[in-house]
Amino acid sequence: MKNPFVYNAIVTGDHFCGRSKYIQDIVGRINNSVNILLFSKRRYGKTSLLKEIFESHLPKNFMKIYIDLFSITDETDFAKQVSIGIANSDYKKDLTTRLKDLGNILKNVRLSVSPDPSGGISLTPTLDSGGFDFLVWFENTFENLNSFLKKNNMKGCIIFDEFQQISSIKDHDLEALLRGKVQQHNQLSYVFTGSKQHILANMFINTSRPFYTLADIIELMPIDKHEFYDFVSAKFRINNKHISETDFELIYYLSFGETRFIQKLCHYLFENESEEINKELILCVLKDITLSNDNFFRNYFPNSFTAAQRKALLILSQRSENLFSREIISKYDISTATLQRALKTLEEKLAIYKDGDQYKIYDVEFYHWLKSIKV
């Protein structure tokens, strides 16, 4: 029997859990061409949520464009990723008509057709090799897209994933260029999301930045515990397994509410022969996962952090309050000033984050590995 808990891929459909209120709020804004900044802690399922909305909650003739900016380093990369997103946008027309439409939108871009692994068709754009002019491409592409939608009485949505990456491109003021288009496009809704919250926040909240007040801000919180339990218990019943709500709360607690790790724990529990899932089994599976990470983290930990940063991480694996107490400073042989600097650097490196007045380790599996180390 195929395991119903998927933790290492984007999920939609039957594998997607809950988020009904978020779906309703986001779809309402998209339908009304309102722009959105969606942010959350990493691994809460932002991309899965947006893909689920694209696949199941927008009209059939809605042009849905997903653009992944994670790997971009310059304006040419940006142009390539935008062109890929538009070329493979989801709107229901036959291939011949799509190629004609896309040819009118993506000027100076050559499209090649090839089968994709799912059995569909993939369109691969190649930028004009005869002297690529970014500003000409930018103006043509975004204006042609909006004009196409208006002419065909359609609406569209563009998702910019890892949007904070554009702040590293210095050749042109890409933020200002994009703002000019976003403000003019009444046929399109733009959704901006990414993993570096502090950079995104500065882009949209800083009054001196072009994207100030340009989008409604939505923070994605952990999936509701009771909603997640209903999802998980139903999946376990497929394999004649049972889990009480109390025992699921332990999984939720150990995962800090993180969607991916909850799914991973449940994946391993589903594979276990036991029909009754209880506290002892959950802790045993968690120990197995932690041990399976041991070789990787033993290499990663000393090679990625300074001595002071390692001490700070070890402290955070044991507690999140009273970090500067005399007991901690003495036990770990670290000064208050050094610990403060280490925490600041770790936050900048996205190894930890601040939740209210407490610092917490981002990676749940790394946290449990650190917690298992005897100091």
Side-chain angles (χ1 to χ4, degrees):
M1 180 182 295
K2 187 172 182 180
N3 197 308
F5 296 105
V6 179
Y7 63 89
N8 57 357
I10 295 169
V11 297
T12 57
D14 290 341
H15 294 298
F16 183 82
C17 174
R19 301 293 196 195
S20 55
K21 181 65 168 62
Y22 283 103
I23 290 172
Q24 181 182 353
D25 288 349
I26 292 170
V27 168
R29 285 173 167 85
I30 291 174
N31 282 328
N32 287 288
S33 300
V34 176
N35 305 314
I36 300 166
L37 167 62
L38 180 68
F39 75 96
S40 75
K41 181 180 176 288
R42 286 181 294 177
R43 296 175 178 172
Y44 274 13
K46 293 186 297 296
T47 302
S48 289
L49 170 62
L50 294 171
K51 291 276 188 159
E52 169 68 13
I53 288 171
F54 265 20
E55 288 190 11
S56 304
H57 300 277
L58 290 175
K60 295 292 185 185
N61 69 335
F62 215 94
M63 195 167 191
K64 292 158 274 189
I65 302 167
Y66 174 81
I67 300 166
D68 185 358
L69 300 178
F70 176 75
S71 62
I72 66 169
T73 57
D74 56 30
E75 60 185 21
T76 303
D77 289 339
F78 175 82
K80 287 178 182 176
Q81 292 305 314
V82 170
S83 299
I84 289 170
I86 294 173
N88 290 286
S89 57
D90 185 8
Y91 71 108
K92 305 300 180 184
K93 286 192 176 183
D94 64 89
L95 181 59
T96 302
T97 306
R98 284 189 67 195
L99 286 170
K100 181 180 176 182
D101 292 342
L102 293 169
N104 290 327
I105 296 170
L106 295 169
K107 301 290 186 182
N108 302 320
V109 175
R110 181 170 54 84
L111 293 172
S112 56
V113 182
S114 59
D116 65 28
S118 65
I121 293 295
S122 177
L123 299 176
T124 304
T126 304
L127 302 180
D128 184 6
S129 58
F132 176 69
D133 188 317
F134 175 78
L135 291 177
V136 171
W137 168 88
F138 183 91
E139 182 68 25
N140 286 342
T141 299
F142 283 94
E143 283 310 303
N144 291 341
L145 176 60
N146 196 55
S147 297
F148 166 77
L149 294 172
K150 190 178 294 185
K151 179 182 177 181
N152 289 275
N153 196 27
M154 293 171 60
K155 286 192 173 183
C157 178
I158 296 179
I159 294 172
F160 280 116
D161 204 352
E162 300 298 342
F163 183 66
Q164 74 279 340
Q165 293 300 109
I166 74 163
S167 63
S168 64
I169 297 175
K170 306 302 182 185
D171 296 336
H172 294 99
D173 190 347
L174 193 48
E175 287 182 56
L177 288 172
L178 272 172
R179 179 183 176 88
K181 295 305 176 190
V182 172
Q183 284 182 310
Q184 296 169 16
H185 292 170
N186 51 15
Q187 303 296 117
L188 281 161
S189 170
Y190 289 82
V191 179
F192 309 97
T193 187
S195 57
K196 297 184 178 179
Q197 293 182 44
H198 63 295
I199 300 177
L200 281 173
N202 189 46
M203 291 173 74
F204 285 84
I205 297 174
N206 189 327
T207 57
S208 66
R209 300 286 288 270
F211 274 81
Y212 175 65
T213 71
L214 200 61
D216 286 0
I217 299 175
I218 299 177
E219 181 178 6
L220 188 66
M221 304 300 290
I223 295 173
D224 177 77
K225 183 166 52 179
H226 304 294
E227 192 173 28
F228 220 148
Y229 170 70
D230 290 341
F231 172 84
V232 163
S233 60
K235 298 295 185 186
F236 277 130
R237 283 197 296 271
I238 296 171
N239 204 23
N240 298 317
K241 292 179 181 291
H242 174 264
I243 183 170
S244 70
E245 190 158 6
T246 300
D247 287 324
F248 175 74
E249 285 177 359
L250 175 61
I251 292 175
Y252 196 91
Y253 169 78
L254 292 170
S255 305
F256 303 148
E258 181 189 283
T259 306
R260 178 189 176 277
F261 196 61
I262 291 172
Q263 294 269 23
K264 183 169 184 175
L265 274 174
C266 290
H267 181 99
Y268 279 80
L269 288 164
F270 188 88
E271 295 294 320
N272 191 276
E273 293 180 357
S274 176
E275 291 184 0
E276 188 67 28
I277 297 166
N278 53 34
K279 177 181 177 180
E280 290 72 23
L281 182 59
I282 292 166
L283 293 177
C284 181
V285 166
L286 175 63
K287 184 177 179 180
D288 288 343
I289 292 173
T290 302
L291 286 173
S292 72
N293 290 326
D294 190 59
N295 286 337
F296 172 77
F297 284 134
R298 283 192 182 278
N299 181 60
Y300 169 73
F301 186 47
N303 292 319
S304 302
F305 305 101
T306 65
Q309 290 163 15
R310 293 197 296 273
K311 287 182 180 181
L313 287 166
L314 288 169
I315 291 169
L316 288 178
S317 73
Q318 304 302 319
R319 62 167 70 196
S320 57
E321 297 176 323
N322 301 321
L323 302 182
F324 304 100
S325 67
R326 186 174 301 176
E327 172 200 355
I328 290 295
I329 296 301
S330 173
K331 179 178 178 179
Y332 289 88
D333 189 24
I334 188 171
S335 70
T336 298
T338 300
L339 179 55
Q340 287 174 332
R341 285 194 299 271
L343 291 169
K344 184 175 185 297
T345 303
L346 288 169
E347 192 174 11
E348 291 170 353
K349 293 171 71 170
L350 300 182
I352 65 174
Y353 66 100
K354 207 164 186 180
D355 183 7
D357 294 330
Q358 299 181 354
Y359 286 100
K360 294 182 178 179
I361 295 169
Y362 248 123
D363 190 301
V364 179
E365 295 184 55
F366 187 36
Y367 164 81
H368 284 295
W369 180 81
L370 288 167
K371 198 172 181 64
S372 70
I373 296 177
K374 304 301 181 186
V375 180

